[in-house]
Amino acid sequence: MNYTSINDIDNLSQWVKDALKIKKKPLKNKKLGKNKTLGMLFFNPSLRTRLSTQKAALNLGMNVMVMNFTNEGWTLEFEDGAIMNKGASEHIKEAAAVISQYCDIIAIRAFAGLADKEKDNAETVLTGFQKYATVPIVNMEGCTGHPLQSLADAITMEEHKTKHRQKVVLTWAPHPRALPQAVANSFVEMMQLQTEMDFVITHPEGYELNPEITKDSKIEYDQNKAFENADFIYAKNWSNYKEYGQITNSDPNWTVSAEKMKLTNNAKFMHCLPVRRNMIVTDEVIDSENSIVIEQANNRTYSAQLVLQKILKNVK
Ligand code: CP
């Protein structure tokens, strides 16, 4: 079993229930991972993913090895048949096979480069490891998805939902740097699995996500209208998907403010973090009692622990 996409979840509500059980007794399966090793490979920086996934593995009694390819590993070649006379020193064929000798599960973070849409959509790093590793693969944020984050988001919403049918809004917000679409994509895919929630995506015109991901999810270009009666506001920046990787809008009117939150049904505020304060969201909102960003980050441990637990139960 791999966990590379939200589509690897066979029953979201059951997974959320299972994760909440783990949260109550995180050390219950302390022996499950004994003598098993998680290898965590980072091609990009991380705070939450690195620490929460490591904590999840430790809760299961696993050993953990972390390697930063940004400055520690050999530069890898991913093209089959490449004449390796440029910068790359090692082919993914050997690297993935060798890492599989040391690890029982390999978790990978490899962001979109945002220069070449086709290359990013091909998920070169993740698919290279899936092809040549001989052990299960976990996606710790690839070019197009962040399924550990979205599972944590689903857990967090389950904990904070009120009794009536919930309205959830994914809102784009401005950011000074071009960011990938991965978090937004997985959030959309996770929301499409929710059966008792109304979901709206709001962003400036032109900032549509990949239509193959949004499918028939509702899009509302008027942010104020989208916020009306919302129960959850999930803020995230992403760079332009059509004009790939470009920042074509930085309108501060899209920042989530206390005034905008007043349009909602006393909504909870969510963000995956790290967040740029007073760009994505004002201090007033993120510091308010309706902000559940820290609980979201806490739930990253139980999202990762559920995934590792499911994989370990399949590992021979
Ligand atoms: N939300 C998230 O993935 O955080 P990090 O980039 O710090 O891991």
Side-chain angles (χ1 to χ4, degrees), residues 121-168:
N121 282 343
E123 293 279 10
T124 313
V125 179
L126 266 181
T127 53
F129 275 96
Q130 276 182 265
K131 195 169 170 189
Y132 294 115
T134 55
V135 298
I137 300 296
V138 174
N139 179 359
M140 296 195 296
E141 189 172 345
C143 301
T144 61
H146 194 357
L148 285 174
Q149 178 65 54
S150 303
L151 179 55
D153 299 336
I155 297 164
T156 313
M157 287 194 295
E158 179 63 25
E159 289 181 303
H160 288 274
K161 74 178 187 191
T162 47
K163 283 197 179 68
H164 66 287
R165 195 176 171 89
Q166 303 287 280
K167 179 179 175 184
V168 180

Side-chain angles (χ1 to χ4, degrees), residues 45-50 109 111 141 146 149 272-274 300:
S46 169
L47 186 158
R48 280 143 290 272
T49 305
R50 177 169 173 159
R109 164 163 284 199
F111 288 174
E141 189 172 345
H146 194 357
Q149 178 65 54
C272 62
L273 306 181
R300 290 293 307 276

Side-chain angles (χ1 to χ4, degrees), residues 58-71:
L58 295 174
N59 283 350
L60 290 165
M62 298 185 81
N63 301 314
V64 182
M65 297 195 293
V66 182
M67 186 160 176
N68 293 311
F69 273 81
T70 43
N71 54 6

Side-chain angles (χ1 to χ4, degrees), residues 186-234:
S186 287
F187 188 76
V188 170
E189 290 176 319
M190 180 274 292
M191 286 308 304
Q192 288 166 349
L193 298 180
Q194 298 277 5
T195 51
E196 290 174 0
M197 291 186 173
D198 296 318
F199 181 49
V200 181
I201 308 170
T202 184
H203 55 68
E205 286 198 62
Y207 261 81
E208 288 76 14
L209 293 160
N210 182 349
E212 288 176 23
I213 288 172
T214 52
K215 296 185 180 129
D216 58 358
S217 292
K218 187 175 174 189
I219 297 171
E220 169 58 66
Y221 296 118
D222 182 337
Q223 192 192 37
N224 288 344
K225 204 167 162 196
F227 272 40
E228 280 171 15
N229 295 317
D231 299 289
F232 291 95
I233 298 295
Y234 194 107

Side-chain angles (χ1 to χ4, degrees), residues 10-114:
D10 54 2
N11 181 336
L12 178 63
S13 64
Q14 189 57 52
W15 280 46
V16 168
K17 279 185 196 137
D18 292 347
L20 288 169
K21 270 191 207 154
I22 292 172
K23 188 172 182 176
K24 277 192 186 136
K25 286 189 179 173
L27 301 178
K28 191 180 167 201
N29 283 304
K30 183 79 185 168
K31 289 186 183 153
L32 186 65
K34 192 173 177 224
N35 298 329
K36 302 287 182 197
T37 300
L38 173 67
M40 299 173 64
L41 314 183
F42 287 91
F43 292 81
N44 305 96
S46 169
L47 186 158
R48 280 143 290 272
T49 305
R50 177 169 173 159
L51 296 180
S52 64
T53 309
Q54 192 161 352
K55 179 158 184 188
L58 295 174
N59 283 350
L60 290 165
M62 298 185 81
N63 301 314
V64 182
M65 297 195 293
V66 182
M67 186 160 176
N68 293 311
F69 273 81
T70 43
N71 54 6
E72 292 170 359
W74 300 111
T75 303
L76 299 183
E77 174 61 61
F78 289 90
E79 197 182 313
D80 284 339
I83 298 169
M84 291 174 57
N85 60 357
K86 297 198 178 89
S89 306
E90 177 156 27
H91 201 278
I92 182 66
K93 280 190 181 183
E94 287 78 48
V98 168
I99 295 165
S100 303
Q101 307 306 305
Y102 312 140
C103 301
D104 299 281
I105 301 172
I106 302 174
I108 300 157
R109 164 163 284 199
F111 288 174
L114 294 177

